[in-house]
Amino acid sequence: MRAVARRNWVLRQMAADGFASPEEVARAQREPIHLAPVPRNRLDNAYGHAILQALERRFGRNTLRRQGLTVLVPYRDEAERAARRAVREGVLEIEQRQFYRPPEHLPPEQRDGMLRRWAAAPPWGEDGVPQPWELAPALVVRIDDDGGMEVHDGVHRWRLPPVHWQWQKPEADGMQQPADDAPRTWRVGDEVWLQGTAKGGVRLTQYPSVQAALYSLDLRDGTVLARVGGFDYRFGGFDRVSQARRQPGSAFKPLLYATALEQGLTPATIEMDTPLVFAQQSAEQFWRPENYRNRFAGPVTLRNALEHSRNLVAVKVLQQIGVERFRAKLAQLPFDRDFPAQLSLALGATEVTLEALTRAYAVLAKGGRKWRPVTIRQVQDRNGRTLYRALAGFRCQVCHADPVLAVTPEMRPAEQLFDRVDAFLITNMMKGVIERGTGRRARALHRPAAGKTGTTNKQVDAWFMGFTPQILTGVWTGRDTPTSMGRHETGARAALPIWLRAMQAFHRGLPKRDFVPPPGVEWVAIDPKSGKRATEQTPHPFLEAFRIGTAPEAEAGGEEGGGEGHDGFLQSDL
């Protein structure tokens, strides 16, 4: 045994150098040796691959392999596992709402061999109990008269009740097209997929055609908390956090409205939610931006427009502040790309990565300051000398005495991109998205949170970006080949449940915190319909936050104003 031989050699060297007597060495050599198993590599995911890429960029592959570096990372296994489970469960929920794709049918001579192969690799985790984030293939072995069926996963036989699932049509866009005579029911010999349930049972599913990604930052210390590159990401594969460029839709609007606040607009500024038509280069071409379900609310406050994701207002706000001014602000944010000079920027009709958008939200979440999230805390050589050190910029103003270390981007102080008051105002408006608007499902987190939904045309991409004072998480869902997930798969329905599962796990045991206003903020009761100062006759006054000196002076009349009241009229879930 090589371990025994190595131990004995070390003991002989100790005796030769005078650190032990021959008798002590002989006694130690007779002792049995107990081997500990090699610990499982926990960094075999997108988080680990991001660490490897960062190390290779900085030190090179040869140095990593030969120099015996010690790398300290802020990895938290429990958070990463919770994030992966949230992504998998959320994707499988979306898949239940997709068309059922005809399964592969195995001829009789192949079925026993398939069952033996499945039995050799037990399908359900370490304890053999199915979990909601787990998948396993199974063979249909019997069809009952009532439409139920019995399936075999190689180890267990499961009885499934009658399944009512709309089968994929031959002409379905973006999907594998079955033959016109393909059966629209299950048959003995079909290879199907099972998903675990919360009660340890199973239900019928299919391998997902939809993907998702999650990226989370710990706002307390500025570290990366979790990174999930896809439903079944494999180390070194396509990381949808940093490699997938997708349109963010309305998830882009908080950046626009934060820029508008800088230009003097307030949460109570009235804008018109009415139709717009823009002529294109030829008379036959035009662009007509639309609201979700093509409904309009008339005059609304800027807060109302953000809470209910009103597209027409966003376009008009961009017209007011100017496309170039917004592009200049975007150039300061951590996107690492140029954006086109077009009004559709207001609606997120451009491509960004989940990582870049989350880092842009981090600017708003940390008082308007731009900083780089920390993935690697420290690297030391074999002699204990520090080669690299990182600390989130908002945590240090004089980062390090060593001028070599201090010049790294990770060690630079945070840069103030938005005024602290404006950052708080947009955060407070995004709280309303969750309390009253398109992100209402996030109220189940049961703690103060700010966020924004995002959905692109035909529900190709769905997003939810949200944060508490402690943690920021961004979620994207969609197909790798951009096609519709279905007319109802909005950010609130497809992405938000993943965000909620992950954030519930991340906040377990954490105290509830609310967003603290900085100096320069005042609170004034307004009429949410007219945006004017509330009076005793105002039926539903709303306490709004303003920069000191910018609150409305005019008082609201009892029945003045238009737009949406408190009955939820015209609410959407974009």
Side-chain angles (χ1 to χ4, degrees):
M1 183 184 294
R2 297 177 61 185
V4 172
R6 179 66 177 174
R7 180 200 65 180
N8 292 343
W9 180 86
V10 172
L11 290 171
R12 290 194 298 270
Q13 292 300 114
M14 291 177 65
D17 293 338
F19 290 102
S21 66
E23 292 77 13
E24 290 174 325
V25 168
R27 186 167 55 253
Q29 288 178 335
R30 289 193 297 269
E31 293 180 2
I33 190 168
H34 300 285
L35 300 178
V38 176
R40 180 181 65 85
N41 179 16
R42 295 180 178 181
L43 288 171
D44 59 349
N45 47 37
Y47 196 117
H49 193 240
I51 292 172
L52 176 62
Q53 289 180 311
L55 290 171
E56 288 183 342
R57 284 194 300 267
R58 187 163 192 86
F59 299 104
R61 184 168 298 183
N62 287 337
T63 300
L64 293 181
R65 289 178 174 178
R66 300 177 181 179
Q67 296 303 314
L69 303 181
T70 299
V71 181
L72 180 64
V73 299
Y75 181 78
R76 280 154 280 191
D77 187 57
E78 184 61 34
E80 182 69 19
R81 285 191 287 118
R84 281 192 278 180
R85 291 171 179 176
V87 166
R88 291 177 66 87
E89 285 188 64
V91 167
L92 290 171
E93 286 294 334
I94 299 172
E95 198 62 37
Q96 289 286 325
R97 303 190 289 268
Q98 304 299 303
F99 289 118
Y100 191 84
R101 304 183 297 278
E104 181 180 355
H105 185 75
L106 299 181
E109 62 272 14
Q110 295 181 11
R111 298 172 190 174
D112 289 342
M114 183 67 75
L115 291 174
R116 286 194 297 270
R117 286 193 292 275
W118 291 341
W124 303 111
E126 296 179 357
D127 57 4
V129 178
Q131 299 294 340
W133 54 85
E134 292 181 325
L135 280 180
L139 188 70
V140 177
V141 295
R142 191 181 77 236
I143 302 294
D144 297 331
D145 293 339
D146 64 356
M149 53 185 160
E150 183 178 333
V151 297
H152 197 329
D153 63 15
V155 177
H156 307 94
R157 287 177 177 264
W158 304 94
R159 169 60 165 78
L160 301 181
V163 178
H164 304 286
W165 203 325
Q166 186 174 359
W167 284 58
Q168 172 194 321
K169 300 176 181 178
E171 67 275 10
D173 293 336
M175 310 290 285
Q176 181 181 357
Q177 297 185 2
D180 291 341
D181 59 351
R184 295 293 184 271
T185 187
W186 292 273
R187 299 174 293 170
V188 171
D190 281 349
E191 182 182 351
V192 297
W193 286 90
L194 304 178
Q195 176 192 1
T197 66
K199 296 182 178 180
V202 298
R203 68 171 177 174
L204 184 71
T205 187
Q206 54 187 346
Y207 200 85
S209 61
V210 172
Q211 277 290 346
L214 179 148
Y215 187 54
S216 185
L217 304 177
D218 191 324
L219 298 175
R220 297 166 296 178
D221 61 6
T223 59
V224 176
L225 181 63
R227 183 186 187 111
V228 184
F231 173 82
D232 198 15
Y233 177 85
R234 292 289 186 264
F235 191 88
F238 183 64
D239 183 0
R240 295 163 186 84
V241 172
S242 59
Q243 293 178 283
R245 292 185 174 271
R246 307 298 289 249
Q247 292 190 6
S250 294
F252 218 52
K253 290 176 182 175
L255 306 178
L256 169 64
Y257 287 5
T259 307
L261 293 173
E262 283 189 321
Q263 303 307 312
L265 276 69
T266 76
T269 297
I270 292 294
E271 300 288 349
M272 294 301 297
D273 182 31
T274 52
L276 283 171
V277 178
F278 296 92
Q280 301 293 316
Q281 293 181 349
S282 67
E284 291 79 17
Q285 295 178 330
F286 61 91
W287 178 50
R288 187 181 68 182
E290 297 179 349
N291 284 335
Y292 186 59
R293 296 174 181 167
N294 206 26
R295 297 175 178 176
F296 308 96
V300 295
T301 62
L302 200 66
R303 167 183 286 278
N304 180 287
L306 182 65
E307 289 180 353
H308 301 289
S309 205
R310 305 191 187 283
N311 289 341
L312 278 301
V313 172
V315 173
K316 292 176 181 178
V317 167
L318 182 54
Q319 282 183 302
Q320 290 178 46
I321 68 173
V323 173
E324 290 306 320
R325 179 174 281 115
F326 186 40
R327 291 180 70 225
K329 178 60 69 174
L330 292 175
Q332 296 177 303
L333 291 166
F335 285 113
D336 192 27
R337 61 153 297 182
D338 293 327
F339 290 93
Q342 54 192 31
L343 287 174
S344 60
L345 271 180
L347 310 182
T350 187
E351 292 184 342
V352 298
T353 65
L354 173 60
E355 182 175 31
L357 187 59
T358 305
R359 289 182 57 194
Y361 267 70
V363 173
L364 306 178
K366 293 303 292 185
R369 292 171 290 177
K370 177 183 176 181
W371 50 281
R372 183 183 292 269
V374 173
T375 304
I376 303 170
R377 289 190 190 274
Q378 191 171 6
V379 179
Q380 294 180 320
D381 64 16
R382 62 183 56 174
N383 297 316
R385 185 169 64 94
T386 297
L387 305 178
Y388 172 87
R389 181 169 174 259
L391 189 68
F394 66 82
R395 298 186 63 200
C396 71
Q397 296 303 312
V398 181
C399 288
H400 204 283
D402 187 330
V404 175
L405 295 177
V407 299
T408 64
E410 293 79 4
M411 294 296 289
R412 293 172 186 163
E415 178 185 357
Q416 197 78 40
L417 294 190
F418 290 98
D419 183 87
R420 291 179 62 197
V421 170
D422 293 329
F424 175 78
L425 295 181
I426 192 64
T427 296
N428 193 49
M429 291 167 66
M430 285 192 285
K431 281 184 67 178
V433 172
I434 291 176
E435 292 168 355
R436 293 170 297 278
T438 60
R440 294 183 298 279
R441 295 182 185 186
R443 290 184 296 187
L445 187 60
H446 299 303
R447 61 176 66 222
K452 186 66 188 77
T453 53
T455 312
T456 60
N457 288 342
K458 298 183 179 180
Q459 292 73 46
V460 171
D461 300 284
W463 304 69
F464 191 78
M465 313 293 298
F467 55 92
T468 67
Q470 295 124 316
I471 295 171
L472 162 64
T473 297
V475 173
W476 163 84
T477 58
R479 302 187 198 277
D480 283 339
T481 301
T483 51
S484 176
M485 293 184 289
R487 61 182 300 182
H488 300 297
E489 299 303 331
T490 62
R493 194 182 192 206
L496 196 157
I498 298 174
W499 180 91
L500 181 60
R501 283 189 180 98
M503 291 289 273
Q504 286 172 332
F506 296 159
H507 285 84
R508 196 166 292 127
L510 294 184
K512 288 186 179 181
R513 299 272 190 256
D514 204 347
F515 302 98
V516 179
V521 172
E522 65 174 339
W523 300 85
V524 176
I526 67 167
D527 173 12
K529 291 185 177 181
S530 67
K532 297 180 180 179
R533 194 176 286 259
T535 67
E536 293 181 356
Q537 289 74 40
T538 301
H540 300 287
F542 180 81
L543 192 62
E544 184 61 271
F546 294 91
R547 178 184 293 276
I548 291 177
T550 64
E553 297 292 339
E555 293 184 345
E559 299 298 328
E560 287 188 12
E564 183 174 1
H566 288 263
D567 58 356
F569 179 61
L570 295 184
Q571 289 185 0
S572 68
D573 63 349
L574 278 177

